[in-house]
Each structure stands twice: as structure tokens, then as C-alpha cells.
Amino acid sequence: MPSGVFKTSYAEDMAFIRWPIHRIALTLAAIFLLTYPFVFRNNIYMLYWANYIAIFLIATLGINILTGYAGQISLGHGAFMAVGAYASTITAIKLGLPFPLTVFIGAISSMLFGLIFGIPSLKLKGFYLAIATLAAQYLVDFLLVNPKLAWLTGGSSGLIVPEASLMGFEITKLSGSDFYFYFVTVPLAVFFFIFAANLTRSDVGRAWVAIRDNDIAAEIMGINVFKYKLLAFAIASFYAGIAGSLWAYYIGYLTPEHYTIALSIDFVAMILIGGLGRHWGSLVGTVFVLTLPEVLKRVIIPAISGFVPVTFTAESLRPIIFGAIIILFLIAEPHGIVELLRKVKEYLRLFPFPY
Amino acid sequence: MVLQSLINGITIGGIYALIALGFVLIYKASKVLNFAQGELVMMGGFMCLALSGFLPIWMAVVLAVIISAFIGFLIEKVVLKPLIGEPILSVIMVTLGIAYMLRGLVLAVWGPDIRAFPQIFPEGAFEVNGVVIPYVYLGGLLLSLMAIIAFILFFTRTTIGVAMRAVADDQQAAMSLGISVEKIFAISWAISAVVAAIGGILVGNIYGGINVNFAFIGLKVFAVVILGGLDSVLGAIVGGIIIGVAESVGGTYLEPFVGGGFKDVFPLLLMLLIMAIKPYGLFGTERIERV
């Protein structure tokens, strides 16, 4: 009987699932995702939370591809999401197109927008690119609240998003719509997760990593740097567009306040806290960053409200704690929670004898 | 009308130049891009506001500046020192983390409302050929000019200033000459926070009131430093004036056509244009990369 897992062919070594433990873990995850909505059938809050995370996970996967794998810093991911959300909502309102099609249109529009802002990445690097994407963020904000464009975007009062209907079935209108929407968001999130994971272990993913590590060296090795940078922008903004459209449909109304610079910074924080260039990092980071304000509101603020002289509210405490966590993580564990977990695992594996 | 918006622009531009100098100083010394510069400006303003509640205004200004210096020093020692040599995204993100924290602190203590700012300069205005110049503008311009001149004199005439330029030029060589690079980093943050605080107090005076969104000025500063070149003191000054004027003139003449708020986006558009044509700014040194 073999005393471990031995791979006897190249295909086995390159397989998507390489270890028995992964198979077990993925099966458990699948069971968890399938039973979750039925367990919380009547708990709207938990269902909402799951949808929230699933939708934002799609966008986070996108920015992790762009920043974590291809190394292009983006501070405008919220704007990409906004473009997707507005494109899908406007096509749904003005043209009356069906829900799946508008989500797709939203994603494509966002992708085109991302491509436009990917073009400067040929010349701009690092800080300059970060600033350019930041400018994109503010330009989109400006256009969305602009009263001159209010006939299209609804201005600062926003738009009411039509009901999402799928196969003659109005998902967002039914009672318990959170439950039904779960079956839209979570499968999509799983699909995009697997797609991203497969993409980044292909030749495309390796080209991205090469560009991230040193773009000049990558170019010398024959990688078409511009093409792959643009591809990263396209895919990241496509993901953001999908997430933005779904989010608009899910909450039912659309205002520019959902997609400000704060959201863009949150996305960078998610991948940094979770783990740059790791898809599990996207998941962990999204869960962490989105759950934190709720924990603050429900647990920490009631606990401290009697002791401190100044008035801490969720609005003020969140940036303080959030900023502190970002700083702490960057100082103590720059590779994020996923790396931290790996270290813990490694420690436990060797536990009594660390040598 | 043209002259009026020109003068407004130059005044605001002078203050932008001052704040941008702080940004350039940190970048030159330690190659750190400070995304929290706008928040330091806001913090300085609020500090002055808080102190002026129970102190005479000039004392409040001086004390606010001193406390800001201390905050800048502390930020460098606690947060940036452990990150020396880390990738650019980490450094950007850590300064964003600082920005978040400062923002949260201001929100916790002062709340989100706009607060009236204590006036340093006498009210009223004088008129030259139909152009109205409030005393606040004149005072703001004079003070920011004085601060810029003091800054330049400090850089060229004092030992610490020369040491800072040496570190900016070549860290290793400076170290071998016995300059404490660590100390220089900390001092550059302190000075940067000081100029930010002065800028915050001046802008607070011109606007008449401040709230937490005051940190938006940080964005203008990006436009200024990109225009002038990230590592150029002259660039920061020239860029500051250009951006200030562009903002003011653009706000006056273009806003009616493209909608409100254009004033704040116009410098960014200008910046994008400059980035496309001349990525290293007017006076910045071109970066040469080797593999």
C-alpha cells in the first residue's frame, strides 16, 4: 500500500484537483453551498449576506486577476462595476431586454470601458496607473451624478431597476426573493471562481505572472505585454460588470453612491487582506471585508458605547478599524490571510518537532 | 471676470503648490507615495478648529502645526518604517489605510457636518479695476508664498535640508557620509504634515468651513505632482499654480456647459492628458528601468 499520493502521469500532476483532501474539501463546500439556502430558508438576513458575498466575490476575483496576477494596480474597480450596473439597468429600462441578456450587456460594456482604461497601461506603471484609474473612478462618479445626463442615468437620485425575470419567473418580485436569487448568484460565483482558477493556471495566467514580476523581462521572453495587460483589464472589468449588474438587480435600485472610491479601495483591501494572486484569497478577503461592518455594528459598537467619550458610530468606527487592519496586515503579514492559514497549517503539520 | 477667476486660481494654486511640496518631499526622500496627504490637510484644519475653541487663533495655528508635525513623525515611525522595500501596492495601500484611520477619527470626533472655520484674516475685500480681492485670498496667497520660500530656504541653507537632498539623491552615499537616513525619513514626514496643516488652515479660511470631505484636496495634489513631475520641487510650484488656475477658469467657464462639479474633475482630466503625453511631468526625472 502506498504511503502517500504518487502521481504517475503528467496529466495527473496538472489536474485541477490534485489531492484527495481537495476532493473531500470541495465536496464538503458543494454540500455546504447546496444546503445553505434551505437551512436559512426563512432567515432573510443570512440569505442576503450570502448573496452579497457571492456578488462581490465575482468582482473581487476580477480585480485579483488584474492586480494580483497581472500586477496592474487599479483604484477604479468600483467604477467598472458602476458601468456594468448602469449599462444593464438602462438597457433593461429603455429597451426592455430580458434579465440575463442585460447582465451580459452590462458585463460587455464594462469590459469595453476597462479596455479603454487598459490602453494607458502600456505606458503607465505602478503609481501612475493607480492614479489614472483613480481619475477614471472620479470621472465616472462625475458623469453619473451629472444633471445633464440625468435623462439617462437618473442623476444623483438614481434609477429603479426592473424586476429580474428568468424563464418567465420573476425572481426579485417573489416573496423570499433572496432565496431564489441565491440560485442565480452563487452558481455564477462558483462558475467564475473556477473559470478564474483555470485561466490563471493556463499559459495566459503564466504570462500575467511574468508581466507582474517584471514586464520588461517578460517582453524580452517574447510575451506580448500589451496584449496580456489589455486582456487582464478586459477580464477584470467583465467580472466587475457582471457583479455590478447582479447587485443592481438584487437591491432593486441604482444610485451612484454605491460605486464610489470607497468601494474601489475596499476591493484592493479585500485582495490584500485575503491574499494577492490567490483565488482563495479573493474569497477570504471578500468575506472578511464585507462581514466586518456588520460585526462592528452588532457586536463592537454596543459593547464600547458606554465607555468612550466620543460618539463612535458605524460610519466612523469602520474606517478606523478598517484602516488599522489594513496597516496591521501589511506590516505583519503582507501576503494576507491565505498565507497566514498556510503558515498555521505548516506549523501544525510539523507540530511537535518543528525541524 | 477672467482676471477675477485668474486671481482666485492663483491663490488656490499657491496653496495646492504648498501641499504638493509635502508630497514631493516624502517621495523624494523615501520613494513613498502618500495617498494620505489630503487627510493630513484635513487633520491640520480640524486641529486648528478644535484648538481655536479655547485658545487665541494665532496660538491655535502654531499649536496645530506642531501637533501635525508630531503626527507625521509618528506615522513614519510606526507605519512606514516596517514597510521599507515592500512592493508599491503595499505602500500605496498602507497610506490609504492611514487615510481611512484619520478620516474615521475626524468623523468620530467632529461628525460629518460642515463646521465654520475661525477666520485669521480680517473680513472684507478691496477692489482694483473692478476685480474684487477678499483679504482672505491676499493673506492666503502671501502666507503660502512665505511658506514655500521658507521651505526652499530650509532645503538649500540648513544642514538638515542639505542632508535631505543628499538622501534624495543617493541613499547609500548619504549613509556612508554619516547621515541617518531613518531620521531624514521621519523629518520629511513631519515637514510634510506641517505644510499640509498650513495648507489646510489656509484653505479652511478661504472656504470658510470644513468637513470630512475636505480631504478631496489630496486628489488635486495628485494632479499637481503628476503635472509637475513627482520628484520636482519646481514642478510642484508651477504645477500647483497651473492646476489652481485651470480649476478656477474651468469652473467659471465650462461648468455651465457640462454640469456642476466639473471644477473638481477638470484637473483630473488635465492630468490624464499630461500622463498620456508626458508621463514624467514637466520637470520630473525620467525613470530608466533595467532588467
Side-chain angles (χ1 to χ4, degrees):
Chain A
M1 197 172 142
S3 57
V5 182
F6 297 103
K7 290 166 187 138
T8 49
S9 71
Y10 185 67
E12 244 173 76
D13 200 36
M14 298 308 290
F16 191 64
I17 298 165
R18 275 179 297 168
W19 304 96
I21 185 86
H22 285 171
R23 191 154 297 153
I24 296 166
L26 287 176
T27 314
L28 286 177
I31 292 171
F32 172 76
L33 289 179
L34 280 176
T35 52
Y36 186 92
F38 296 101
V39 171
F40 295 107
R41 183 75 170 85
N42 296 313
N43 191 337
I44 289 175
Y45 184 74
M46 291 304 280
L47 287 170
Y48 168 80
W49 187 73
N51 283 328
Y52 186 32
I53 285 174
I55 291 171
F56 277 78
L57 172 62
I58 298 175
T60 315
L61 285 166
I63 192 178
N64 210 350
I65 287 176
L66 181 62
T67 306
Y69 283 90
Q72 308 300 304
I73 302 171
S74 166
L75 293 174
H77 210 60
F80 295 157
M81 227 175 134
V83 170
Y86 271 90
S88 60
T89 306
I90 289 168
T91 47
I93 291 176
K94 303 272 175 194
L95 306 174
L97 295 176
F99 164 61
L101 188 63
T102 56
V103 171
F104 187 69
I105 290 173
I108 294 289
S109 328
S110 177
M111 188 171 98
L112 292 175
F113 182 74
L115 278 178
I116 294 170
F117 274 90
I119 292 169
S121 72
L122 177 66
K123 255 180 130 177
L124 305 176
K125 272 186 213 172
F127 169 69
Y128 289 92
L129 187 63
I131 294 289
T133 51
L134 189 71
Q137 170 74 48
Y138 279 101
L139 282 177
V140 169
D141 281 358
F142 167 71
L143 290 177
L144 292 183
V145 296
N146 198 323
K148 306 254 169 190
L149 289 172
W151 56 274
L152 191 66
T153 62
S156 49
S157 52
L159 295 168
I160 304 284
V161 186
E163 306 297 338
S165 57
L166 202 60
M167 295 178 281
F169 190 68
E170 294 210 319
I171 312 167
T172 44
K173 215 174 186 175
L174 295 167
S175 65
S177 61
D178 300 271
F179 175 74
Y180 296 104
F181 216 70
Y182 183 94
F183 295 99
V184 177
T185 57
V186 171
L188 274 177
V190 169
F191 169 76
F192 280 113
F193 191 102
I194 294 172
F195 183 77
N198 265 327
L199 193 67
T200 46
R201 67 196 193 101
S202 69
D203 56 339
V204 178
R206 292 198 187 162
W208 281 337
V209 171
I211 291 169
R212 173 190 71 193
D213 291 345
N214 194 322
D215 53 348
I216 295 173
E219 193 162 16
I220 293 168
M221 284 165 64
I223 293 169
N224 185 343
V225 173
F226 189 43
K227 179 182 130 193
Y228 282 106
K229 277 183 180 175
L230 276 187
L231 190 64
F233 267 98
I235 288 172
S237 45
F238 186 88
Y239 271 57
I242 295 269
S245 312
L246 287 176
W247 185 237
Y249 273 108
Y250 184 51
I251 50 178
Y253 60 93
L254 188 55
T255 71
E257 281 138 55
H258 291 138
Y259 307 100
T260 55
I261 177 68
L263 179 65
S264 295
I265 295 175
D266 280 1
F267 277 124
V268 182
M270 284 176 198
I271 55 173
L272 270 175
I273 290 174
L276 267 183
R278 289 180 170 90
H279 296 301
W280 289 111
S282 303
L283 177 63
V284 174
T286 311
V287 172
F288 186 90
V289 170
L290 295 185
T291 314
L292 181 70
E294 292 300 307
V295 172
L296 283 179
K297 202 158 66 185
R298 278 156 196 271
V299 183
I300 296 179
I301 290 176
I304 63 160
S305 59
F307 303 102
V308 282
V310 281
T311 51
F312 282 110
T313 57
E315 253 153 83
S316 62
L317 201 60
R318 182 179 177 269
I320 296 176
I321 292 187
F322 197 55
I325 285 173
I326 292 172
I327 294 169
L328 275 180
F329 259 104
L330 283 169
I331 292 173
E333 185 50 77
H335 300 289
I337 295 177
V338 170
E339 179 70 13
L340 203 66
L341 291 178
R342 200 191 61 80
K343 278 184 183 161
V344 170
K345 194 183 95 185
E346 208 60 9
Y347 176 77
L348 288 178
R349 193 168 71 86
L350 304 168
F351 168 59
F353 312 108
Y355 297 105
Chain B
M1 186 74 166
V2 183
L3 216 58
Q4 179 76 62
S5 58
L6 213 61
I7 286 171
N8 294 355
I10 290 173
T11 311
I12 290 282
I15 299 168
Y16 287 167
L18 183 64
I19 300 166
L21 276 180
F23 185 95
V24 168
L25 179 64
I26 290 177
Y27 181 75
K28 265 175 97 86
S30 56
K31 299 282 173 289
V32 168
L33 301 150
N34 182 14
F35 273 65
Q37 191 75 10
E39 273 72 12
L40 288 176
V41 171
M42 170 187 78
M43 203 68 195
F46 270 104
M47 208 94 71
C48 178
L49 179 75
L51 291 168
S52 69
F54 48 87
L55 286 175
I57 179 76
W58 63 271
M59 238 158 108
V61 170
V62 172
L63 214 61
V65 165
I66 292 171
I67 296 174
S68 293
F70 184 69
I71 291 177
F73 183 79
L74 210 67
I75 288 175
E76 203 282 334
K77 280 290 170 209
V78 176
V79 179
L80 284 144
K81 215 176 126 206
L83 282 174
I84 291 174
E86 289 286 329
I88 184 166
L89 182 66
S90 304
V91 177
I92 288 179
M93 217 35 215
V94 89
T95 59
L96 280 172
I98 295 166
Y100 257 97
M101 284 189 81
L102 291 177
R103 197 184 161 79
L105 280 173
V106 167
L107 269 175
V109 180
W110 286 283
D113 306 322
I114 295 179
R115 305 227 164 194
F117 201 81
Q119 289 295 315
I120 305 176
F121 308 105
E123 280 184 37
F126 64 89
E127 217 180 303
V128 188
N129 291 337
V131 180
V132 184
I133 305 172
Y135 288 121
V136 188
Y137 276 57
L138 194 69
L141 186 61
L142 281 180
L143 269 185
S144 57
L145 271 182
M146 268 160 61
I148 290 170
I149 291 168
F151 189 90
I152 292 171
L153 283 180
F154 172 80
F155 247 134
T156 48
R157 297 274 188 263
T158 64
T159 321
I160 298 176
V162 173
M164 288 173 95
R165 279 163 59 213
V167 171
D169 196 40
D170 189 335
Q171 239 175 61
Q172 298 242 307
M175 256 184 204
S176 71
L177 289 169
I179 295 169
S180 165
V181 174
E182 270 181 34
K183 211 191 264 170
I184 296 294
F185 284 3
I187 292 173
S188 60
W189 268 87
I191 295 175
S192 182
V194 165
V195 294
I198 296 174
I201 293 165
L202 292 178
V203 185
N205 264 287
I206 286 175
Y207 286 1
I210 56 176
N211 80 338
V212 76
N213 292 329
F214 205 50
F216 198 61
I217 290 179
L219 211 63
K220 310 281 174 60
V221 171
F222 288 138
V224 171
V225 294
I226 296 279
L227 175 65
L230 272 182
D231 54 356
S232 162
V233 171
L234 179 66
I237 296 167
V238 175
I241 306 281
I242 294 177
I243 293 289
V245 170
E247 182 189 308
S248 170
V249 173
T252 316
Y253 290 99
L254 297 175
E255 210 153 85
F257 299 106
V258 284
F262 185 68
K263 187 169 161 262
D264 295 325
V265 211
F266 188 48
L268 293 175
L269 279 176
L270 214 63
M271 178 188 82
L272 283 177
L273 191 73
I274 292 155
M275 269 198 215
I277 303 165
K278 214 169 164 3
Y280 298 101
L282 294 174
F283 303 102
T285 23
E286 203 155 315
R287 200 171 32 152
I288 297 161
E289 278 186 69
R290 293 190 176 83
V291 181

